[in-house]
Amino acid sequence: EQDFEGVKLLNFKSKINIIDIGASDGIASKFFSRNLNVRGIICFEPHYHYIKILKRLGVENLIIKPFAIGNKNSHKTIYFPRYKFFFINLDLITYTHYDRKFLEQQISLDFKFKKNISIIKKKILIKKAEKENKKIDLIKIDTNGFELPIIRGLMKIIKKDRSAMIVESNQDIKKIDKILKKLSYKSYYFSVKKKKLRLVNKKYPLNTFFLQKKHLS
Protein backbone atom coordinates (compact mmCIF):
# COMPACT_ATOMS: atom_id res chain seq x y z
CA GLU A 1 0.00 0.00 0.00
CA GLN A 2 1.13 3.57 -0.68
CA ASP A 3 0.83 4.43 3.01
CA PHE A 4 3.76 2.12 3.81
CA GLU A 5 6.02 4.62 2.04
CA GLY A 6 5.73 6.70 5.20
CA VAL A 7 7.93 4.30 7.16
CA LYS A 8 10.90 5.34 5.02
CA LEU A 9 10.70 8.75 6.72
CA LEU A 10 10.97 7.37 10.26
CA ASN A 11 14.12 7.67 12.31
CA PHE A 12 15.38 4.21 13.20
CA LYS A 13 18.98 4.36 14.40
CA SER A 14 19.83 0.68 14.02
CA LYS A 15 18.43 -2.62 12.77
CA ILE A 16 14.79 -2.94 13.77
CA ASN A 17 12.37 -5.62 14.94
CA ILE A 18 8.85 -5.52 13.53
CA ILE A 19 5.52 -7.06 14.51
CA ASP A 20 3.11 -7.50 11.58
CA ILE A 21 -0.39 -8.26 12.89
CA GLY A 22 -2.86 -9.38 10.25
CA ALA A 23 0.03 -10.22 7.95
CA SER A 24 -2.24 -11.70 5.23
CA ASP A 25 -0.13 -12.48 2.14
CA GLY A 26 2.92 -10.64 3.49
CA ILE A 27 2.64 -7.47 1.41
CA ALA A 28 3.68 -5.28 4.36
CA SER A 29 6.44 -7.60 5.54
CA LYS A 30 7.92 -7.74 2.03
CA PHE A 31 7.86 -3.94 1.82
CA PHE A 32 9.53 -3.52 5.21
CA SER A 33 12.18 -6.12 4.38
CA ARG A 34 13.07 -4.35 1.12
CA ASN A 35 13.01 -0.78 2.40
CA LEU A 36 14.11 -0.84 6.05
CA ASN A 37 17.13 -2.11 7.93
CA VAL A 38 15.34 -5.11 9.42
CA ARG A 39 16.64 -7.49 12.07
CA GLY A 40 13.49 -9.63 12.24
CA ILE A 41 9.74 -9.67 11.55
CA ILE A 42 7.10 -11.51 13.60
CA CYS A 43 3.92 -12.17 11.61
CA PHE A 44 0.58 -12.96 13.26
CA GLU A 45 -1.89 -14.51 10.81
CA PRO A 46 -4.70 -17.00 11.62
CA HIS A 47 -5.77 -17.85 8.04
CA TYR A 48 -4.28 -21.12 6.78
CA HIS A 49 -4.33 -19.88 3.16
CA TYR A 50 -2.19 -16.86 4.03
CA ILE A 51 0.10 -18.89 6.30
CA LYS A 52 1.04 -21.05 3.30
CA ILE A 53 1.88 -17.91 1.30
CA LEU A 54 3.94 -16.44 4.15
CA LYS A 55 6.02 -19.61 4.36
CA ARG A 56 6.96 -19.21 0.70
CA LEU A 57 7.96 -15.52 0.89
CA GLY A 58 11.63 -16.11 1.43
CA VAL A 59 11.92 -13.06 3.71
CA GLU A 60 14.95 -13.37 5.96
CA ASN A 61 14.35 -13.73 9.73
CA LEU A 62 10.57 -13.91 9.39
CA ILE A 63 8.72 -15.75 12.15
CA ILE A 64 5.12 -16.86 11.54
CA LYS A 65 2.66 -17.11 14.42
CA PRO A 66 -0.43 -18.99 13.06
CA PHE A 67 -3.03 -17.32 15.27
CA ALA A 68 -4.53 -13.93 16.10
CA ILE A 69 -3.61 -11.92 19.19
CA GLY A 70 -5.64 -9.74 21.50
CA ASN A 71 -5.98 -8.80 25.16
CA LYS A 72 -7.11 -12.27 26.31
CA ASN A 73 -7.19 -15.92 25.26
CA SER A 74 -10.42 -16.65 23.41
CA HIS A 75 -12.10 -17.76 20.21
CA LYS A 76 -13.63 -15.14 17.97
CA THR A 77 -16.22 -15.48 15.21
CA ILE A 78 -15.17 -14.12 11.84
CA TYR A 79 -17.16 -13.67 8.63
CA PHE A 80 -16.05 -13.70 5.01
CA PRO A 81 -17.84 -13.88 1.64
CA ARG A 82 -17.83 -17.02 -0.48
CA TYR A 83 -18.47 -16.71 -4.20
CA LYS A 84 -19.90 -19.75 -5.95
CA PHE A 85 -18.66 -20.09 -9.51
CA PHE A 86 -20.34 -23.10 -11.12
CA PHE A 87 -19.23 -25.91 -8.75
CA ILE A 88 -16.26 -24.05 -7.28
CA ASN A 89 -16.34 -22.12 -3.99
CA LEU A 90 -14.05 -19.09 -3.93
CA ASP A 91 -13.45 -17.74 -0.42
CA LEU A 92 -12.76 -14.00 -0.54
CA ILE A 93 -10.75 -13.89 2.67
CA THR A 94 -9.41 -10.39 2.03
CA TYR A 95 -12.92 -9.31 3.11
CA THR A 96 -12.74 -11.16 6.44
CA HIS A 97 -14.40 -9.14 9.19
CA TYR A 98 -15.49 -9.51 12.80
CA ASP A 99 -18.75 -7.62 12.25
CA ARG A 100 -21.27 -9.33 9.95
CA LYS A 101 -23.30 -6.15 9.36
CA PHE A 102 -20.20 -4.22 8.36
CA LEU A 103 -19.25 -7.01 5.94
CA GLU A 104 -22.74 -7.01 4.41
CA GLN A 105 -22.46 -3.25 3.84
CA GLN A 106 -19.04 -3.68 2.21
CA ILE A 107 -20.35 -6.41 -0.10
CA SER A 108 -23.27 -4.23 -1.17
CA LEU A 109 -20.81 -1.45 -2.04
CA ASP A 110 -18.22 -3.54 -3.86
CA PHE A 111 -20.21 -6.20 -5.70
CA LYS A 112 -22.83 -5.69 -8.38
CA PHE A 113 -23.79 -9.36 -8.64
CA LYS A 114 -24.54 -10.67 -5.16
CA LYS A 115 -26.68 -13.65 -6.12
CA ASN A 116 -23.80 -16.16 -5.88
CA ILE A 117 -22.29 -14.69 -2.71
CA SER A 118 -22.90 -16.21 0.71
CA ILE A 119 -21.38 -15.23 4.05
CA ILE A 120 -19.36 -17.91 5.83
CA LYS A 121 -18.92 -17.94 9.60
CA LYS A 122 -15.86 -19.44 11.29
CA LYS A 123 -14.07 -19.26 14.62
CA ILE A 124 -10.40 -18.39 15.02
CA LEU A 125 -8.05 -18.76 17.95
CA ILE A 126 -6.97 -15.58 19.70
CA LYS A 127 -4.08 -15.65 22.14
CA LYS A 128 -3.21 -13.02 24.68
CA ALA A 129 -0.27 -10.99 23.44
CA GLU A 130 2.95 -11.99 25.19
CA LYS A 131 5.84 -9.70 26.00
CA GLU A 132 8.81 -9.85 23.66
CA ASN A 133 12.36 -10.17 24.97
CA LYS A 134 13.63 -8.09 22.05
CA LYS A 135 12.89 -4.41 21.54
CA ILE A 136 10.02 -3.88 19.08
CA ASP A 137 10.59 -0.82 16.90
CA LEU A 138 7.62 -0.96 14.53
CA ILE A 139 4.13 -2.47 14.82
CA LYS A 140 1.70 -2.75 11.91
CA ILE A 141 -1.93 -3.72 12.65
CA ASP A 142 -4.47 -4.49 9.90
CA THR A 143 -7.24 -6.75 11.20
CA ASN A 144 -10.50 -5.34 9.81
CA GLY A 145 -11.99 -4.12 13.07
CA PHE A 146 -10.10 -5.92 15.85
CA GLU A 147 -7.42 -3.25 16.29
CA LEU A 148 -8.55 -1.95 19.71
CA PRO A 149 -8.26 -5.28 21.63
CA ILE A 150 -4.87 -5.78 19.99
CA ILE A 151 -3.64 -2.37 21.13
CA ARG A 152 -4.81 -3.18 24.65
CA GLY A 153 -3.05 -6.55 24.51
CA LEU A 154 0.19 -4.95 23.32
CA MET A 155 0.22 -2.23 25.96
CA LYS A 156 3.22 -3.63 27.88
CA ILE A 157 5.29 -3.69 24.70
CA ILE A 158 4.10 -0.22 23.67
CA LYS A 159 4.89 1.30 27.08
CA LYS A 160 8.32 -0.36 27.19
CA ASP A 161 9.51 0.27 23.64
CA ARG A 162 7.44 3.24 22.44
CA SER A 163 7.20 1.51 19.07
CA ALA A 164 6.20 3.35 15.91
CA MET A 165 2.80 2.06 14.80
CA ILE A 166 0.75 1.84 11.61
CA VAL A 167 -2.88 1.02 12.40
CA GLU A 168 -5.70 0.45 9.93
CA SER A 169 -8.36 3.07 10.67
CA ASN A 170 -11.63 1.41 11.62
CA GLN A 171 -14.55 2.13 13.93
CA ASP A 172 -12.36 2.31 17.06
CA ILE A 173 -9.62 4.58 15.70
CA LYS A 174 -10.67 7.54 17.88
CA LYS A 175 -10.55 5.36 21.01
CA ILE A 176 -7.10 4.10 19.99
CA ASP A 177 -5.95 7.67 19.40
CA LYS A 178 -7.18 8.69 22.87
CA ILE A 179 -5.38 5.76 24.55
CA LEU A 180 -2.09 6.42 22.77
CA LYS A 181 -2.17 10.18 23.37
CA LYS A 182 -1.73 9.40 27.07
CA LEU A 183 1.62 7.84 26.11
CA SER A 184 2.69 10.94 24.14
CA TYR A 185 1.83 9.54 20.73
CA LYS A 186 0.52 11.77 17.97
CA SER A 187 -1.48 10.60 14.94
CA TYR A 188 -0.19 11.19 11.41
CA TYR A 189 -1.09 10.38 7.83
CA PHE A 190 1.25 9.97 4.88
CA SER A 191 0.66 12.53 2.14
CA VAL A 192 1.28 10.71 -1.13
CA LYS A 193 1.47 13.98 -3.09
CA LYS A 194 3.92 15.73 -0.77
CA LYS A 195 5.76 12.57 0.36
CA LYS A 196 5.50 13.77 3.97
CA LEU A 197 3.90 12.71 7.23
CA ARG A 198 1.24 15.18 8.35
CA LEU A 199 -0.70 15.45 11.60
CA VAL A 200 -4.24 14.06 11.42
CA ASN A 201 -6.74 16.88 11.69
CA LYS A 202 -10.32 15.60 11.58
CA LYS A 203 -10.50 12.85 8.98
CA TYR A 204 -8.49 9.70 9.65
CA PRO A 205 -6.67 8.11 6.69
CA LEU A 206 -6.90 4.49 5.63
CA ASN A 207 -3.84 3.78 7.80
CA THR A 208 -2.92 5.99 10.74
CA PHE A 209 0.66 6.40 11.92
CA PHE A 210 1.04 6.71 15.70
CA LEU A 211 4.44 8.18 16.41
CA GLN A 212 6.60 9.57 19.18
CA LYS A 213 8.80 12.62 18.79
CA LYS A 214 11.88 10.38 18.48
CA HIS A 215 10.52 8.80 15.30
CA LEU A 216 10.60 12.11 13.44
CA SER A 217 13.76 13.73 14.86
Side-chain angles (χ1 to χ4, degrees):
E1 294 184 27
Q2 288 183 317
D3 287 349
F4 294 154
E5 291 285 335
V7 300
K8 296 180 183 178
L9 306 176
L10 302 183
N11 179 31
F12 296 119
K13 294 179 180 177
S14 58
K15 280 194 169 187
I16 65 171
N17 293 305
I18 300 170
I19 292 179
D20 184 355
I21 303 169
S24 67
D25 61 358
I27 184 173
S29 288
K30 283 191 292 185
F31 182 90
F32 299 149
S33 178
R34 290 170 183 165
N35 293 282
L36 300 175
N37 190 10
V38 175
R39 187 183 303 276
I41 304 175
I42 304 169
C43 291
F44 290 90
E45 177 52 57
H47 282 288
Y48 177 67
H49 172 75
Y50 283 144
I51 292 166
K52 289 194 295 182
I53 295 173
L54 290 169
K55 287 179 178 178
R56 296 196 299 264
L57 282 185
V59 173
E60 192 175 352
N61 296 325
L62 185 138
I63 298 169
I64 302 167
K65 303 280 189 178
F67 50 84
I69 59 170
N71 57 340
K72 61 182 179 180
N73 294 323
S74 64
H75 285 84
K76 185 80 175 174
T77 300
I78 59 169
Y79 303 91
F80 58 86
R82 174 174 288 170
Y83 185 82
K84 192 167 185 178
F85 184 72
F86 291 103
F87 300 103
I88 300 172
N89 290 323
L90 301 174
D91 291 341
L92 309 177
I93 57 176
T94 53
Y95 280 84
T96 299
H97 210 280
Y98 294 86
D99 186 326
R100 184 185 176 109
K101 287 185 178 179
F102 184 93
L103 176 59
E104 288 171 348
Q105 291 170 2
Q106 201 64 45
I107 290 170
S108 66
L109 288 171
D110 293 355
F111 294 90
K112 287 184 178 180
F113 305 103
K114 307 174 188 68
K115 185 178 178 182
N116 294 335
I117 294 177
S118 58
I119 294 178
I120 304 302
K121 180 172 76 171
K122 283 192 176 182
K123 284 190 178 290
I124 59 168
L125 172 65
I126 296 176
K127 291 188 178 183
K128 185 177 180 179
E130 297 179 350
K131 70 175 185 178
E132 294 290 337
N133 294 326
K134 61 193 85 174
K135 180 176 181 287
I136 301 301
D137 304 279
L138 175 64
I139 299 170
K140 167 253 171 186
I141 308 172
D142 182 351
T143 54
N144 290 355
F146 200 63
E147 287 76 14
L148 182 56
I150 290 170
I151 291 287
R152 286 172 173 158
L154 291 173
M155 200 48 65
K156 286 184 180 179
I157 292 173
I158 294 168
K159 286 180 178 178
K160 177 175 70 74
D161 297 333
R162 295 301 201 264
S163 317
M165 285 182 278
I166 311 170
V167 181
E168 185 185 32
S169 302
N170 273 306
Q171 68 273 12
D172 293 321
I173 194 66
K174 288 184 179 179
K175 292 179 183 177
I176 291 170
D177 198 343
K178 188 175 180 181
I179 289 169
L180 294 178
K181 271 182 181 175
K182 294 177 182 178
L183 299 176
S184 300
Y185 279 91
K186 290 184 178 180
S187 53
Y188 295 82
Y189 70 95
F190 176 66
S191 171
V192 176
K193 287 185 178 179
K194 297 186 177 181
K195 306 293 183 186
K196 290 183 179 180
L197 287 161
R198 301 286 195 184
L199 283 167
V200 170
N201 187 3
K202 291 182 180 179
K203 188 178 179 181
Y204 287 92
L206 178 64
N207 294 290
T208 302
F209 284 76
F210 290 100
L211 305 172
Q212 300 265 305
K213 189 177 181 180
K214 67 175 181 176
H215 298 129
L216 299 171
S217 58

